[in-house]
């Protein structure tokens, strides 16, 4: 506990207000990185009344580095604030950060998704945060899409396979059939790649193998190439009977693909070391 509340109110509050408005970006970045470490020392009431308004102001800072420094420390709030209070104060701001024009901010929110899931609890996270994060699986920036896939893997590890089946599978299926951009269909494959070894073989076969089969017939060669690559990775994890039944037919069909790269790696999947590169590829 803080021994002299009057001193705190007159000195620390003034310092917080000064630092959040400092004209030097590097000062605000440093301030954002350590601000929430004060929360456990100050307790709930002081954090809500004095620190939280400063946090919200930093979240709206015009400089991306300031917001990046703050995002990684948001879990500190959970040490003094209950779930309902976190929902009211934090989730609207997370929604804004997920829409931020700077892609690194969107990526940073995803990197902190597992932490938010632990502190908010399954119900609150699923209802209020998960739908926002799923949008980032279809982000315009490839690094953000990859971060979203990695986030789904970590969330499944934390919240469980049944949670993934209810809240993630439908979204990945929609991505796999997205007609607006082949990059979204590749992003669906990346999600499968991240998820496959944290869920059961039965779930992989039931939920994701049909998507890979369809994407292996995609009109875009790059999608077929990635479908073959994901199928090859899965073949090293799944049982031999599963591979023979579900994945080998994919490789066999792609050995007849008109695209030379797709064909080469399909042959390699079936018979490692026997693929033949054409002069056009070399």
């Amino acid at each position: 506990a803080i021994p002299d509340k009057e001193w705190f109110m007159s000195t620390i509050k003034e310092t917080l207000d000064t630092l959040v408005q400092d004209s030097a970006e590097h000062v605000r970045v440093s301030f954002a990185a350590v601000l929430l470490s004060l929360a456990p020392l100050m307790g709930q009431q002081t954090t809500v009344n004095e620190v939280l308004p400063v946090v919200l102001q930093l979240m709206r800072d015009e400089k991306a580095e300031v917001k990046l420094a703050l995002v990684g420390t948001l879990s500190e709030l959970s040490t003094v604030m209950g779930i309902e209070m976190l929902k009211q104060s934090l989730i609207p701001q997370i929604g804004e950060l997920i829409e931020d024009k700077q892609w690194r901010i969107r990526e940073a929110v995803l990197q902190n998704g597992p932490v938010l899931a632990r502190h908010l609890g399954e119900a609150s996270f699923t209802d209020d945060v998960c739908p926002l994060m799923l949008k980032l699986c279809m982000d315009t920036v490839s690094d953000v899409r990859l971060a979203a896939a990695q986030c789904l893997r970590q969330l499944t590890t934390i919240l469980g396979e049944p949670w993934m089946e209810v809240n993630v599978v439908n979204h990945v299926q929609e991505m796999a059939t997205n007609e607006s951009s082949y990059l979204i269909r590749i992003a669906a494959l990346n999600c499968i790649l991240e998820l496959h070894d944290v869920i059961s073989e039965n779930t992989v076969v039931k939920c994701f193998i049909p998507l890979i089969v369809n994407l292996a017939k995609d009109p875009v060669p790059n999608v077929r190439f990635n479908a073959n690559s994901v199928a090859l990775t899965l073949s090293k994890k799944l049982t031999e009977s599963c591979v023979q039944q579900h994945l080998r037919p994919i490789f066999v069909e792609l050995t007849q693909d008109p695209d030379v790269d797709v064909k080469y790696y399909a042959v390699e999947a079936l018979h490692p070391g026997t693929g033949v590169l054409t002069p056009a590829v070399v």
Side-chain angles (χ1 to χ4, degrees), residues 154-172:
Q154 294 172 321
L155 291 174
T156 299
T157 301
I158 294 167
L159 301 175
E161 185 173 320
W163 176 88
M164 188 277 306
E165 287 194 68
V166 172
N167 297 285
V168 174
V169 169
N170 285 344
H171 188 74
V172 175

Side-chain angles (χ1 to χ4, degrees), residues 148-158 193-195 197-198:
Q150 292 162 2
C151 181
L152 292 181
R153 173 192 175 93
Q154 294 172 321
L155 291 174
T156 299
T157 301
I158 294 167
L193 191 61
E194 288 291 337
L195 289 167
D197 62 351
V198 295

Side-chain angles (χ1 to χ4, degrees), residues 222-267:
N222 203 12
V223 177
R224 302 196 301 275
F225 180 91
N226 279 275
N228 183 86
S229 178
V230 171
L232 179 58
T233 300
L234 265 62
S235 72
K236 299 172 183 178
K237 300 285 185 178
L238 303 181
T239 61
E240 180 62 24
S241 61
C242 181
V243 171
Q244 291 299 318
Q245 181 178 354
H246 299 290
L247 298 182
R248 192 174 189 282
I250 296 175
F251 303 137
V252 170
E253 183 171 350
L254 290 178
T255 59
Q256 306 303 313
D257 198 273
D259 183 271
V260 67
D261 288 342
V262 175
K263 180 176 181 178
Y264 170 75
Y265 285 102
V267 171

Side-chain angles (χ1 to χ4, degrees), residues 120-132:
L120 287 172
E122 179 177 334
S124 293
F125 178 84
T126 301
D127 293 341
D128 301 314
V129 179
C130 184
L132 301 175

